[in-house]
Amino acid sequence: MTDLRLETLSAATVVAANNLTLKPGQEQYVAPVSHSIAEAYVNPTTAWPRVVLDGDEVVGFIMGNFDADADDESLRSCIWRVNVSAEHQGRGVGRFAIHALAGEARSRGFDTLTVIYEPGDDGPERFFAHIGFEVVGETPYGEHLAALTISPTPQGE
Ligand SMILES: CC(C)(COP(=O)(O)OP(=O)(O)OC[C@H]1O[C@@H](n2cnc3c(N)ncnc32)[C@H](O)[C@@H]1OP(=O)(O)O)[C@@H](O)C(=O)NCCC(=O)NCCS
């Protein structure tokens, strides 16, 4: 657990990222990782896809999107997805990944990180709330838009 690190998604890790498991009930809240990998491939200039490694094991995947010119302000510095393999959830991997993405956003000059997710019992709402996201809006489909204010200096990252 002390050895968590991020690496760029690569040929060496793409299969493990695509095979990350979910807990029962979570699959309805998140598209398959392969969707994000395809999105990263077609949006190479804005997508920021990273695997989380614990030692040599891929235990999570996070993808951000950074596009200072996006018309929709909520899509300029945002999380496209985050997931942690079922057996490694609850150990701080998700928090580590979000903090790393927030650090990347800060280094690019953003002061906010946003995420859109579906509310529900097995969904990620309480996780995002726990690490400091606040619900700031709702999409026409009933999804929540939440935002994390990024402090100008790293805090616990
Ligand atoms: C959401 C998800 C990424 C969280 O990852 P994780 O590694 O289990 O989370 P962490 O262990 O880092 O949790 C960080 C904190 O949030 C809390 N937390 C996490 N999930 C929680 C939940 N469902 N309810 C309440 N608190 C929760 C933890 O207790 C922890 O608190 P602590 O630091 O005070 O101990 C993971 O559950 C997941 O992959 N879910 C399925 C995919 C998904 O829904 N992704 C989001 C779509 S964008």
Side-chain angles (χ1 to χ4, degrees):
M1 201 60 222
T2 52
D3 199 19
L4 288 179
R5 68 187 194 284
L6 286 192
E7 272 185 13
T8 307
L9 182 71
S10 69
T13 53
V14 70
V15 173
N18 200 36
N19 287 339
L20 286 170
T21 50
L22 291 169
K23 288 189 173 172
Q26 291 181 334
E27 55 287 323
Q28 61 186 301
Y29 294 93
V30 63
V33 174
S34 55
H35 288 209
S36 296
I37 295 170
E39 281 173 333
Y41 184 75
V42 299
N43 296 288
T45 56
T46 62
W48 196 82
R50 296 291 185 276
V51 288
V52 186
L53 289 138
D54 186 359
D56 290 334
E57 187 181 359
V58 174
V59 295
F61 177 71
I62 184 160
M63 191 156 93
N65 189 60
F66 298 110
D67 181 1
D69 299 324
D71 290 339
D72 186 339
E73 206 175 322
S74 64
L75 300 178
R76 289 182 189 161
S77 166
C78 64
I79 301 169
W80 267 354
R81 81 171 296 132
V82 55
N83 76 282
V84 174
S85 71
E87 64 270 34
H88 291 284
Q89 288 182 22
R91 299 172 52 215
V93 177
R95 181 194 289 275
F96 169 82
I98 300 291
H99 282 170
L101 183 59
E104 178 66 20
R106 179 191 300 109
S107 73
R108 291 171 181 244
F110 295 102
D111 58 11
T112 307
L113 190 62
T114 54
V115 66
I116 291 173
Y117 59 82
E118 237 177 86
D121 286 346
D122 295 323
E125 178 145 45
R126 279 174 292 180
F127 164 72
F128 286 123
H130 203 77
I131 59 176
F133 284 79
E134 284 179 31
V135 176
V136 293
E138 196 169 315
T139 73
Y141 310 103
E143 299 156 311
H144 286 182
L145 168 65
L148 176 74
T149 301
I150 302 170
S151 61
T153 49
Q155 299 196 337
E157 293 159 20

